[in-house]
Amino acid sequence: MQLRVFRPKPAGRRASRKKAAPAPPLTRVTAFFLPYVRKLEPYARKLEPYAQRLAPYARKLKPVYPRPGRTGWRRWMPSWRQWLGGGLTSVVLSGLFLVVAYAATDIPKNLNSYATQQDNVYFWSDGTPMARTGWVQRQAMPLKDIPEQVRWAVLAAENESFYSDPGISFKGLTRALWRTVGQGDTQGGSTITQQYVKNVYLNQNQTVDRKFTEAMISLKLDNRMSKDDILEGYLNTSWFGRGTYGIQRAAQAYYGKDVSRLNAGEAAFLASLLKGAGLYDPTLNKANHQRAVERWSWILDRMVKIGKLSPQERAKYKTFPEPLKQNPLYDTGKQSDYLVELASQYAKKSAHISDKQFDLGGYQIYTTFDRKREDALTDAVTKARKQGGIDHPDLAKTAHYGAASVATDGRILAVYGGPDHRTQGYNESNATTVQAGSAFLPFVYAAGLEHGVHKTRGGPATPVTPESLYDGDDGVPVTTPEGPYWDRSGKKVAAHNDGNRSYGQMTLAQALALSVNTPFMQLGMDTGLVQVRETAQAAGLLSSSMGPQVPALSLGNATPSAIRMASGYATFASDGTHTEPYSVRRITRNGSLVALKTPKPRQAVGSEVARQVDDALTQSFRTARPSAASVSAQVSGKAGTTQDDTASWYVGTAKSVSTAIVAYRMDLAKSLQPLPLKGLAGTPADSVPYGIWTEAMSPLG
């Protein structure tokens, strides 16, 4: 029998184009086993005398081909003695290798980070602690306090033969090793013991080395620890999503109760999360919900099959036990919860920290939030909310207030997110729910000053100044270079002022100071709605919050958040330089600095344009508030209303800090459609948002 020897072809034009092939699977296996083979050398030397004695017998087993006395294909086949000898030799060598590997593998003394979770700590801008989140939560529970049905729900899902296996699954291990070597990934098959070893001693990498080490430690651990101790450790270290580790915290996070009060149906759902909380948390999306229901039902059926749940008991669980929509463990209801929410979202995105990494804890997040400004803003909104409940008890039930203070350098200094984070999971300061209305006019003004206007289609741009005259009468039809602008119903589009008041010819600066709508709807058409949109976005508004590109765009059909409106006005107060709003200035993990991407300032509009807009906003502030004539020229601001009376805004800047306040009504139990305020937000001369703004800003200068 001739063996063909493979020799690589000499490098040529075709060969040079090919990339080096990855190492064959067998080469990787050889490299892995080499250290263990070297450990066998001393034993091999001791066995050498015995090998010499066996040499005569080995020579008899030496294959001679073709075999004499045989015919046909039998001449080339080994004898049964050779087959038996080869098989026994393989068994002996494999057994010897496993014995040596088992002896050489030690159980690590130190638990890894997955088993020593920490909280994340948040700090105010002055460095004092603000909050210690419960997002990374663990509470070890003795096995005796975990109901038997809960234990068997987990075992039915993960490892029903746990109490009888040796700590590893040879079938699952073989499959995992083969897939790791041949395809680079693994398939399920780990026992509870192996998963526990992976949780507390090893990493999550799927490699041959890690898998083999896991198996050796599992075998040794199974001999040293009782099955109950291993199961207890596993149930207390496994990740269930929502920042929870361990069955006790999972029970509290998903059902708001201790593990001792779980029934079999709830336990089956929690057991399904062990396969991947990101795939089986039904509150995340519909696909997750469907997967969770299917696996929940399958686990209950498995419990019946292995005799841990009677068919009669199984029949009680026909309806999927829907978990809580939010984890109640970290919702204290305080405003700090909204601050933590903003900071954690920003930290993970800007420092490229995954949800799971963040849940491992140990992070110190130094925020931009100013404690004094936060207290002042919260007190002002709380006072207004309370007064609204007295003056308008029926309307106050559906009242919402959002507020944010942003520095001209982008730092978010304070927000008001809502009355109670436990009952209102979304953040009012970051919500894009209602239109900006006339508070949007400064962006139209800036676009006109920056880009000029076009009197003819495709013609040159004519410069615009604060003294440019526009018609301020109510109901003036909007025109294009070709004539009136018609809507889809065939009607001429016209703008209307508050109270349908007419002002006649007026300058743009006067129009902004008096909040007259009609000049700005026409200015938007003359400048170009594309330019208006781009200017607003450059100043800080998000493209996702911009409304349809129709003439009403200039009158504020965009739905920006309070944070973004404050950021936009801050751009005008900083000579046209815009810095994206941010809430975290530094992150460390156990004392080591974490790389954080901090936004850089950029020129959004020309500095002269920004000063002209800010001057007009200063005049607007003084015109609307004659009693504030003695206030420093550093104060500027503008009210904002919508034509359908669904929102009331006030956005103003004082000493490099812009604050935006919005009040609106919405019955979330019925619809997301804003409702008329009907006087809840006060009058133009005495608006509630302006009152909140004054109380929040005045004590701080």
Side-chain angles (χ1 to χ4, degrees):
M1 183 176 181
Q2 230 177 356
L3 296 177
R4 296 178 62 189
V5 179
F6 173 78
R7 294 184 177 87
K9 295 180 180 179
R13 292 181 61 187
R14 297 174 68 106
S16 64
R17 296 177 184 173
K18 296 182 178 179
K19 296 181 180 178
L26 290 179
T27 303
R28 286 185 277 164
V29 174
T30 302
F32 167 70
F33 283 119
L34 189 58
Y36 296 98
V37 172
R38 288 173 178 166
K39 290 182 180 180
L40 289 173
E41 289 181 1
Y43 300 95
R45 284 193 292 271
K46 290 181 181 180
L47 292 173
E48 189 173 350
Y50 301 97
Q52 291 176 354
R53 293 181 186 179
L54 293 173
Y57 302 97
R59 281 193 290 271
K60 291 182 180 181
L61 293 174
K62 181 179 179 181
V64 178
Y65 298 101
R67 292 172 59 199
R70 298 289 188 274
T71 60
W73 59 271
R74 292 182 178 84
R75 300 169 63 198
W76 305 98
M77 293 296 292
S79 68
W80 67 270
R81 294 183 183 85
Q82 292 166 345
W83 280 113
L84 180 61
L88 290 174
T89 302
S90 298
V91 171
V92 171
L93 290 177
S94 298
L96 186 61
F97 169 75
L98 290 175
V99 169
V100 173
Y102 179 85
T105 302
D106 295 323
I107 298 177
K109 295 181 180 180
N110 298 321
L111 303 180
N112 66 22
S113 59
Y114 286 86
T116 55
Q117 304 305 311
Q118 304 175 62
D119 288 341
N120 292 321
V121 184
Y122 296 78
F123 298 88
W124 292 101
S125 58
D126 62 2
T128 57
M130 182 182 77
R132 182 182 296 273
T133 67
W135 292 31
V136 176
Q137 303 146 34
R138 179 206 304 281
Q139 179 183 347
M141 294 292 291
L143 193 65
K144 63 182 179 63
D145 294 336
I146 301 175
E148 190 171 346
Q149 283 189 331
V150 177
R151 302 182 221 168
W152 278 104
V154 172
L155 292 176
E158 297 293 311
N159 183 193
E160 64 184 57
S161 63
F162 169 72
Y163 279 100
S164 60
D165 65 40
I168 65 173
S169 167
F170 291 101
K171 181 179 179 181
L173 182 61
T174 302
R175 181 172 62 245
L177 285 171
W178 174 252
R179 289 177 62 83
T180 301
V181 170
Q183 300 181 23
D185 60 0
T186 61
Q187 187 174 341
S190 297
T191 64
I192 291 289
T193 307
Q194 288 175 265
Q195 293 183 55
Y196 174 62
V197 167
K198 181 175 63 175
N199 286 346
V200 301
Y201 296 120
L202 305 175
N203 56 44
Q204 306 296 310
N205 296 335
Q206 304 290 2
T207 63
V208 173
D209 189 6
R210 206 275 294 154
K211 202 70 180 176
F212 188 81
T213 304
E214 173 193 299
M216 292 297 102
I217 295 176
S218 298
L219 284 170
K220 187 163 285 189
L221 197 69
D222 193 74
N223 287 327
R224 294 189 182 181
M225 290 178 65
S226 70
K227 288 287 189 179
D228 282 350
D229 287 342
I230 293 174
L231 180 60
E232 178 182 304
Y234 173 74
L235 291 174
N236 284 318
T237 57
S238 294
W239 187 60
F240 287 85
R242 294 194 178 184
T244 60
Y245 286 80
I247 193 71
Q248 166 70 349
R249 288 302 194 198
Q252 295 171 339
Y254 288 93
Y255 289 109
K257 61 175 72 172
D258 288 340
V259 65
S260 60
R261 296 171 52 206
L262 292 177
N263 60 40
E266 294 164 338
F269 164 68
L270 293 182
S272 70
L273 295 171
L274 293 168
K275 194 172 179 65
L279 294 173
Y280 290 90
D281 185 343
T283 62
L284 298 180
N285 52 60
K286 291 182 179 179
N288 274 22
H289 193 280
Q290 182 178 350
R291 277 191 292 266
V293 172
E294 291 174 355
R295 186 157 178 82
W296 165 79
S297 180
W298 178 83
I299 292 172
L300 289 173
D301 291 341
R302 294 292 297 174
M303 292 178 70
V304 173
K305 184 176 180 180
I306 63 178
K308 299 303 177 181
L309 189 67
S310 69
Q312 293 77 19
E313 289 177 305
R314 171 67 178 91
K316 297 178 183 178
Y317 304 109
K318 295 181 179 179
T319 304
F320 179 69
E322 300 288 350
L324 301 174
K325 292 184 177 180
Q326 291 183 341
N327 184 348
L329 294 173
Y330 60 82
D331 289 341
T332 64
K334 299 178 181 178
Q335 281 299 308
S336 60
D337 289 344
Y338 295 104
L339 305 182
V340 166
E341 180 184 57
L342 281 175
S344 63
Q345 290 173 352
Y346 183 84
K348 287 186 283 188
K349 181 179 179 180
S350 299
H352 303 291
I353 303 171
S354 68
D355 288 342
K356 192 167 185 178
Q357 286 176 317
F358 201 74
D359 284 348
L360 292 179
Y363 290 97
Q364 295 81 45
I365 296 97
Y366 296 87
T367 74
T368 61
F369 303 125
D370 184 295
R371 184 201 293 265
K372 293 181 180 179
R373 288 189 179 276
E374 179 63 33
D375 289 343
L377 185 61
T378 300
D379 291 345
V381 178
T382 302
K383 180 180 177 181
R385 182 183 290 278
K386 184 178 180 179
Q387 189 61 45
I390 297 174
D391 298 339
H392 305 274
D394 294 334
L395 302 178
K397 296 177 182 178
T398 55
H400 295 266
Y401 301 84
S405 293
V406 178
T408 53
D409 60 6
R411 291 175 296 126
I412 303 176
L413 302 178
V415 302
Y416 179 84
D420 191 332
H421 196 265
R422 294 168 299 183
T423 57
Q424 179 175 295
Y426 73 96
N427 191 331
E428 293 278 16
S429 70
N430 206 27
T432 55
T433 50
V434 293
Q435 294 185 351
S438 52
F440 186 82
L441 299 185
F443 301 105
V444 185
Y445 187 37
L449 295 173
E450 182 89 1
H451 301 286
V453 298
H454 297 272
K455 299 298 184 181
T456 59
R457 184 74 65 186
T462 301
V464 170
T465 70
E467 302 304 316
S468 295
L469 294 175
Y470 270 80
D471 192 342
D473 284 344
D474 183 69
V476 176
V478 178
T479 61
T480 68
E482 290 79 17
Y485 184 95
W486 304 82
D487 62 18
R488 292 184 178 181
S489 63
K491 296 181 180 179
K492 292 182 181 180
V493 174
H496 293 277
N497 301 320
D498 287 344
N500 295 326
R501 182 178 174 183
S502 292
Y503 295 84
Q505 291 289 310
M506 61 192 315
T507 67
L508 286 174
Q510 291 174 327
L512 185 60
L514 297 174
S515 194
V516 183
N517 291 333
T518 50
F520 289 100
M521 182 177 273
Q522 186 59 54
L523 177 63
M525 296 299 293
D526 293 344
T527 302
L529 297 179
V530 172
Q531 301 288 9
V532 172
R533 186 186 191 96
E534 290 179 351
T535 300
Q537 291 175 201
L541 271 60
L542 295 176
S543 60
S544 58
S545 69
M546 300 302 293
Q549 200 159 294
V550 295
L553 174 70
S554 299
L555 297 188
N557 65 8
T559 57
S561 66
I563 291 176
R564 287 291 168 173
M565 281 297 280
S567 177
Y569 275 52
T571 299
F572 301 130
S574 60
D575 290 336
T577 300
H578 173 70
T579 305
E580 280 290 287
Y582 65 99
S583 56
V584 178
R585 56 187 176 84
R586 186 163 66 97
I587 302 176
T588 60
R589 190 168 195 269
N590 298 328
S592 299
L593 195 64
V594 176
L596 177 69
K597 185 179 180 181
T598 304
K600 303 297 181 184
R602 56 178 174 77
Q603 199 69 36
V605 296
S607 57
E608 180 60 27
V609 169
R611 282 192 288 271
Q612 290 173 335
V613 175
D614 197 51
D615 288 344
L617 289 172
T618 300
Q619 188 60 37
S620 175
F621 174 78
R622 296 188 172 211
T623 301
R625 313 291 167 186
S627 59
S630 60
V631 178
S632 169
Q634 289 181 297
V635 179
S636 60
K638 188 182 183 315
T641 57
T642 58
Q643 293 188 9
D644 49 8
D645 188 38
T646 55
S648 179
W649 289 81
Y650 196 85
V651 190
T653 305
K655 293 185 178 180
S656 301
V657 176
S658 292
T659 297
I661 314 292
V662 61
Y664 64 98
R665 286 180 59 227
M666 186 178 290
D667 191 344
L668 296 176
K670 297 180 180 179
S671 171
L672 296 179
Q673 189 69 26
L675 303 172
L677 286 166
K678 297 182 178 179
L680 178 68
T683 64
D686 185 22
S687 78
V688 171
Y690 175 73
I692 295 173
W693 184 89
T694 302
E695 289 201 27
M697 298 289 281
S698 296
L700 303 166

